[in-house]
Amino acid sequence: MKQKFLLLFLSFVLALSLSSCAFQDDSMPDLYEDAEWVEITRDEAVEIWKNYDTHTMRSGTLTIWQKWCGTKPQKFLGCSIDGDTYENAEGLMLSYCIGHLTVNPAEESENAVFYKMKDDTSVIKIEKPVAGTDSFNYLDVYKDGWCIVKNKYNGVDSYEKLYIKYDWY
């Protein structure tokens, strides 16, 4: 009986090590939290995006840090990119889809607000307000056209933050 339990336990540990797994990580990066941002127009964002390679679908693994309001950050290793084109690339964390990793600024909602990092057009922030309010529901940061920060706010006291590291950066 002990051997069966030990074998089952070792199989479980091996399965976790070969797939995406989570563990607490108090050292969650705060990417661009203190960056200086300059507001730009949608047209400027579209022009900046023209400099990015939006025709090549990238593959590889992701490391994703996830933090919910009131919880410690979780770090997920071995996450993947799903999709066959740049336009429909999504991030997968275990069996959970974190949403689109890319965006076309020309197709964002009309009330979206665009920013570039001061002196660095490779980093763009897009804020998407909640309809009919002054608050933002989504605040995403993109580097070279790929999402590296996803913030989703559900009211004043609830949020989900995702920090995404691609193996090619």
Side-chain angles (χ1 to χ4, degrees), residues 54 56-59 62 80-92 97-103 142 145-147 150 164 166 168:
T54 59
T56 303
M57 177 56 186
R58 297 209 182 201
S59 61
L62 310 171
S80 62
I81 300 171
D82 186 39
D84 55 356
T85 64
Y86 172 88
E87 292 82 17
N88 66 10
E90 294 184 330
L92 297 178
C97 180
I98 65 167
H100 285 282
L101 297 174
T102 60
V103 71
Y142 296 85
W146 288 87
C147 189
K150 285 180 136 343
I164 305 161
Y166 299 84
W168 63 79

Side-chain angles (χ1 to χ4, degrees), residues 31-32 49 51-54 56 58-63 65 81 86 101-102 120-124 141-149 163-169:
L31 301 171
Y32 307 106
W49 238 261
N51 294 316
Y52 301 150
D53 179 6
T54 59
T56 303
R58 297 209 182 201
S59 61
T61 59
L62 310 171
T63 299
W65 288 262
I81 300 171
Y86 172 88
L101 297 174
T102 60
D120 186 355
T121 60
S122 72
V123 182
I124 301 291
V141 178
Y142 296 85
K143 180 168 178 56
D144 298 322
W146 288 87
C147 189
I148 54 174
V149 177
Y163 296 93
I164 305 161
K165 182 181 181 304
Y166 299 84
D167 64 358
W168 63 79
Y169 279 127

